[in-house]
């Protein structure tokens, strides 16, 4: 048999509480913690806004981000605007576009 404290048993950690499937727990939970459920198809507008956000995150300068905004302004939603402002703030040339009329 195992001596007390020899490490022969299963360790108990922070993910052993309710809602977590442990070793031999009889099931796996999805990474988001939810059960299996049908996926709702995205509406075309939302899909376009997600793609726009991805495009914004690939730009490496504030001027590039501003160009995307100027070209696709009518497609921007509040999340795209927040992403654009956040990315501009992180760019080395971000201060140079602050007084741009488009902003």
């Amino acid at each position: 048999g195992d001596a007390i404290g020899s490490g022969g048993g299963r360790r108990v950690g922070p993910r052993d509480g309710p809602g977590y499937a442990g070793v031999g727990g009889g099931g796996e939970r999805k990474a988001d913690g939810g059960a299996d459920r049908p996926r709702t198809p995205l509406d075309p507008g939302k899909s376009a806004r997600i793609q726009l956000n991805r495009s914004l995150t690939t730009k490496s300068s504030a001027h590039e981000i501003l160009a995307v905004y100027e070209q696709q302004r009518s497609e921007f939603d509040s999340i795209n605007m927040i992403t654009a402002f956040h990315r501009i703030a992180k760019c080395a040339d971000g201060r140079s576009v602050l007084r741009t009329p488009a902003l």
Side-chain angles (χ1 to χ4, degrees):
D2 290 334
I4 295 177
S6 68
R10 181 179 165 298
R11 283 193 148 177
V12 176
R15 295 189 175 182
D16 291 316
Y20 287 95
V23 174
E28 295 294 323
R29 293 186 64 85
K30 293 174 67 174
D32 67 359
D36 288 329
R37 57 187 170 262
R39 294 186 142 219
T40 305
L42 294 177
D43 68 80
K46 186 172 184 177
S47 180
R49 291 187 302 270
I50 291 170
Q51 188 60 37
L52 179 55
N53 235 37
R54 286 185 180 141
S55 172
L56 290 169
T57 61
T58 64
K59 305 305 178 208
S60 59
S61 77
H63 287 91
E64 290 176 338
I65 295 167
L66 192 58
V68 171
Y69 173 72
E70 288 173 343
Q71 292 168 3
Q72 297 179 278
R73 177 183 320 212
S74 64
E75 298 170 37
F76 270 60
D77 66 0
S78 58
I79 293 173
N80 299 134
M81 288 300 298
I82 291 167
T83 300
F85 283 131
H86 182 250
R87 299 291 299 179
I88 288 171
K90 290 174 63 174
C91 289
D93 65 337
R95 295 185 77 104
S96 68
V97 300
L98 287 177
R99 298 200 188 274
T100 303
L103 294 179

